[in-house]
Amino acid sequence: MGKVVADISMSLDGYVTARGVDQEHGLGVGGEAIHAWVLDEPRSPIDEAVLARSFEQTGAVVMGRRLYDIVDGPNGWNDEVGYGHDQDQSAAPPCYVVTHEPPAHVRLANRFRFVTQGVAAAVDQARAAAGDKDVVVMGGANVIDQCLAGWLVDELRIHLSPLLLGGGTRLFDLVGPTTLRQLEVVESPRATHLAYQVVRDQGQGCPVADS
């Protein structure tokens, strides 16, 4: 069975969106800069390899309702752009959306499943769908925080962008003390890609997972 991986891009001062998130500005006003390693062209070979490897290893995705409302909105994903941005969307994994109530209308209905029993249930359903591949918790910050706080995550991947936003949506606000073991550091001109194993000690009722 694959890992559960929390994977998100973040500014150097800890924000995963800029201020002013709405349907028109899904990453906040100016927040696209957090994802410059994916969005800016030409993409560096290092960033291309990071993106392609993650896409290939992902068997299912977990996201929150606010993120879903952005990506399924009129300015969101389409036939060419989706999880993994411009990777082959015919091979894109299913997305499990944590929500209190499924939406009345789903624009990209073939891509999404809706889970009303909380983040743990969404991760369980995603694991079943992913098989031997990884489950990626892609955001937003609240869902990643819930998964980390609930010890549902095996690996944390941060794509650290070299900018300071000074405000927006912070990561880790719901997370208590957590020991991480550094697995990988990959540098590119637009990001530092960090991978950490989440160490579960006896206080969490689990042994430390092998990396």
Side-chain angles (χ1 to χ4, degrees):
M1 182 175 289
K3 303 182 294 289
V4 176
V5 179
D7 187 314
I8 197 165
S9 298
M10 185 175 75
S11 69
L12 191 59
D13 52 348
Y15 295 98
V16 297
T17 77
R19 297 183 179 97
V21 174
D22 57 23
Q23 284 288 342
E24 187 67 26
H25 306 92
L27 294 170
V29 178
E32 292 81 5
I34 304 171
H35 295 262
W37 69 277
V38 174
L39 300 176
D40 284 6
E41 298 290 348
R43 190 179 295 152
S44 82
I46 294 171
D47 293 332
E48 184 67 55
V50 169
L51 187 64
R53 182 179 67 172
S54 177
F55 185 82
E56 172 63 28
Q57 293 175 344
T58 302
V61 173
V62 173
M63 67 172 64
R65 177 60 185 268
R66 291 175 186 169
L67 179 56
Y68 160 79
D69 286 341
I70 298 296
V71 300
D72 199 53
N75 300 310
W77 291 353
N78 55 44
D79 290 341
E80 288 77 38
V81 174
Y83 176 74
H85 191 57
D86 56 1
Q87 304 298 296
D88 180 7
Q89 293 305 303
S90 69
C95 296
Y96 290 80
V97 181
V98 182
T99 182
H100 294 295
E101 184 176 350
H105 173 72
V106 182
R107 183 171 59 87
L108 301 171
N110 62 319
R111 301 197 193 182
F112 299 105
R113 322 285 188 269
F114 297 93
V115 183
T116 59
Q117 298 83 23
V119 293
V123 169
D124 285 345
Q125 291 184 34
R127 271 190 181 278
D132 293 334
K133 290 190 173 185
D134 294 340
V135 171
V136 169
V137 185
M138 68 172 291
N142 183 273
V143 167
I144 286 181
D145 283 2
Q146 287 187 62
C147 288
L148 285 167
W151 301 100
L152 301 174
V153 174
D154 302 307
E155 187 173 315
L156 173 65
R157 296 178 191 161
I158 299 291
H159 309 285
L160 194 63
S161 297
L163 79 156
L164 304 173
L165 286 175
T169 305
R170 290 192 63 86
L171 193 61
F172 305 134
D173 277 352
L174 304 180
V175 182
T178 305
T179 301
L180 304 174
R181 179 176 297 156
Q182 186 167 286
L183 299 175
E184 186 177 57
V185 179
V186 177
E187 297 181 13
S188 81
R190 297 190 181 104
T192 302
H193 305 282
L194 306 169
Y196 301 95
Q197 178 189 351
V198 178
V199 178
R200 297 178 177 87
D201 60 27
Q202 293 183 351
Q204 283 80 52
C206 304
V208 174
D210 292 334
S211 60

